[in-house]
Amino acid sequence: MNVFETISDTTGKMADSGETYIKKTQEYLKLKVFQQLTVSVSLVVKALAVGGLFGIGLLFLAFAAALAIGKWLENEALGYLIVGGVFLILTLIIYLSRSAINNMIIKRFSSKFFES
């Protein structure tokens, strides 16, 4: 009987250890998800704030540049056309390099997401 009691005690201890391990793993995963969520939300908020202000600044610079070019060429419409063309060319360059941008973003975020 003594051997069976020892096996029963050992099995009980293993079950308790397994339950503790599962609980601690769940707690760790909750903390990890919370960390990743807060990092992501913080990044989005900062990107929106900086991007919004940058966009407004770029808008004013574009109007100023269009007015200056139009005044220099003595044709305001041509100034706006040139600035619009520059923005279209920049958009095309960014569109053509989108895979490089995707790879850069994936590399940057994978180190944060998969770090232990």
Side-chain angles (χ1 to χ4, degrees), residues 23-34:
K23 287 178 184 177
K24 295 296 179 184
T25 302
Q26 286 176 337
E27 291 174 11
Y28 171 76
L29 288 175
K30 283 181 184 178
L31 286 173
K32 188 68 175 174
V33 167
F34 177 74

Side-chain angles (χ1 to χ4, degrees), residues 19-84:
E19 284 180 26
T20 303
Y21 174 75
I22 289 173
K23 287 178 184 177
K24 295 296 179 184
T25 302
Q26 286 176 337
E27 291 174 11
Y28 171 76
L29 288 175
K30 283 181 184 178
L31 286 173
K32 188 68 175 174
V33 167
F34 177 74
Q35 178 206 18
Q36 294 299 322
L37 188 62
T38 55
V39 167
S40 299
V41 169
S42 172
L43 183 70
V44 168
V45 168
K46 288 185 281 188
L48 286 175
V50 171
L53 292 174
F54 180 74
I56 291 169
L58 190 61
L59 182 70
F60 280 108
L61 286 174
F63 279 122
L67 286 172
I69 292 171
K71 193 173 194 178
W72 181 62
L73 295 174
E74 297 177 359
N75 187 348
E76 238 179 78
L78 194 57
Y80 284 105
L81 189 63
I82 290 172
V83 170

